[in-house]
Amino acid sequence: MNKLIKAGLVVASTFIGAQAMAASMDCEIGEAQYNREYGGYTCYTVEFGSQTASTTYKIVSDKAVSNVVWDGAAASCGVSSSTSCTVQTSANTVHAATAIILFQDGSWEKAWATSLFNNI
């Protein structure tokens, strides 16, 4: 009986772990040659003399996405079927974007990413 319970717990934890890893958010900021990513969910750049930079937040998912509810730094994208959102972000400020990802199978999850650029 104990073996059966342990096996059930292993299967359940694997399923829960897989659910938690269904989607994430990456970001890219500024010009590609200067963009630096740290673990995908944090991006950084330095641009000379610029007050704003174009930042693209992207949902990366192994499940089919129905809609994305963008919030935080990406709130201007609203609710969209697109899995990417491009916004202008200001210099010398950390910008945190969040999104609720609604999957076609009826499940959902939340993802986030931060971006920062310094101007010199």
Side-chain angles (χ1 to χ4, degrees), residues 23-27 39-42 57-60 70 97-99 111-113:
S24 63
M25 188 186 304
D26 287 348
C27 67
Y41 55 87
T42 301
Y57 298 100
K58 296 179 186 177
I59 301 299
V60 179
W70 297 98
T98 60
W112 62 273

Side-chain angles (χ1 to χ4, degrees), residues 4-101:
L4 184 59
I5 292 172
K6 287 180 184 177
L9 289 174
V10 168
V11 170
S13 65
T14 302
F15 178 75
I16 291 169
Q19 289 289 88
M21 300 301 289
S24 63
M25 188 186 304
D26 287 348
C27 67
E28 296 176 0
I29 187 168
E31 296 181 35
Q33 68 266 30
Y34 301 119
N35 182 68
R36 301 291 179 260
E37 291 185 22
Y38 300 96
Y41 55 87
T42 301
C43 54
Y44 172 79
T45 192
V46 174
E47 292 192 7
F48 301 96
S50 184
Q51 294 301 314
T52 62
S54 180
T55 302
T56 300
Y57 298 100
K58 296 179 186 177
I59 301 299
V60 179
S61 176
D62 59 358
K63 293 171 62 174
V65 175
S66 175
N67 284 301
V68 179
V69 181
W70 297 98
D71 202 6
S76 62
C77 291
V79 178
S80 173
S81 60
S82 176
T83 56
S84 67
C85 172
T86 301
V87 295
Q88 291 296 311
T89 52
S90 57
N92 305 316
T93 303
V94 175
H95 299 276
T98 60
I100 296 174
I101 303 134

